[in-house]
Amino acid sequence: MRTGPRPCPGGGRCVIGLPEDGIQRWLLQLADHIKQSAEEGRVPPPVAVPETLWEWRARFPELHQFLGGRFSQDMPDEFEDHTSAVRDHAGSVAPTVPAGLAGEVAELLALGLEEVDCAVAVAERGMEVEPPDPYTASGRPAVVAGLLAGPRAEYDRGGE
C-alpha cells in the first residue's frame, strides 16, 4: 500500500467515500495496523458462530460447495451412499480442495453447536438428505473429515 501507485488501477476514478486527500492517509493508517498485527502476531478472534448467510459462506466456502453439490435431493440417484459421494468429490477435485474441506469440517465441529443447530447449519449449507444411521447431524461431518483426510485417488491434471 505504501509503494503502490496512487491513482486507481486502470486509470479510472476511485469513489470510496473519503475526500481525495483522506484516501492516502487512510490507506497508510491501514497498512500500519496490518503491519503491527503481523509483527506482533495479533489477529482479531473469529466470530464464534457466523450469523448471516454471507458470514457462513465466507467462512465455509468449500463446505457450502461440497454439501450443495454432493448431498442435494438428487444424491440418492447419483451415489450409492454417503461414503461414495465423499470419495467421488475427493477424487474429482484438486488435491488441496479435500484438505481445505476437512479443515472447514473440523472448524464447524469446533464451534460446539448443539445438535439441532448443527443440523440447521449443514442444511443451510446445502445438505438436503439425512445422514445415514447411526450418524447424527454432527456425527456425520466428523466421519466425512476422516474420509477426506484418508488416502485418495490420483488427481488427473489433464495431461500435464
Side-chain angles (χ1 to χ4, degrees):
M1 283 189 256
R2 291 186 181 285
T3 59
R6 294 191 185 212
C8 292
R13 180 178 167 92
C14 291
V15 179
I16 299 181
L18 292 174
E20 292 281 334
D21 62 338
I23 294 172
Q24 188 67 25
R25 282 194 316 272
W26 178 79
L27 287 173
L28 291 171
Q29 182 181 19
L30 180 61
D32 288 339
H33 285 298
I34 292 170
K35 181 181 178 198
Q36 180 182 4
S37 235
E39 289 175 349
E40 296 175 5
R42 292 184 306 133
V43 294
V47 175
V49 177
E51 295 178 11
T52 65
L53 178 62
W54 71 265
E55 287 173 336
W56 278 100
R57 283 192 180 186
R59 189 159 171 190
F60 300 101
E62 292 300 331
L63 184 62
H64 184 82
Q65 182 71 26
F66 169 71
L67 292 175
R70 298 291 190 231
F71 293 99
S72 69
Q73 62 188 1
D74 297 331
M75 179 260 174
D77 297 331
E78 296 176 25
F79 302 103
E80 182 180 325
D81 57 21
H82 284 237
T83 300
S84 4
V86 173
R87 289 196 173 128
D88 179 74
H89 179 74
S92 63
V93 295
T96 56
V97 174
L101 177 56
E104 288 183 20
V105 170
E107 185 176 351
L108 173 71
L109 295 172
L111 292 175
L113 300 173
E114 297 290 328
E115 193 62 35
V116 68
D117 295 327
C118 188
V120 169
V122 295
E124 289 181 351
R125 305 297 63 77
M127 185 155 186
E128 297 177 343
V129 295
E130 292 294 320
D133 287 334
Y135 301 107
T136 61
S138 63
R140 183 60 188 158
V143 172
V144 166
L147 288 169
L148 291 168
R152 51 178 254 120
E154 286 297 313
Y155 176 67
D156 181 6
R157 298 185 188 273
E160 287 183 15

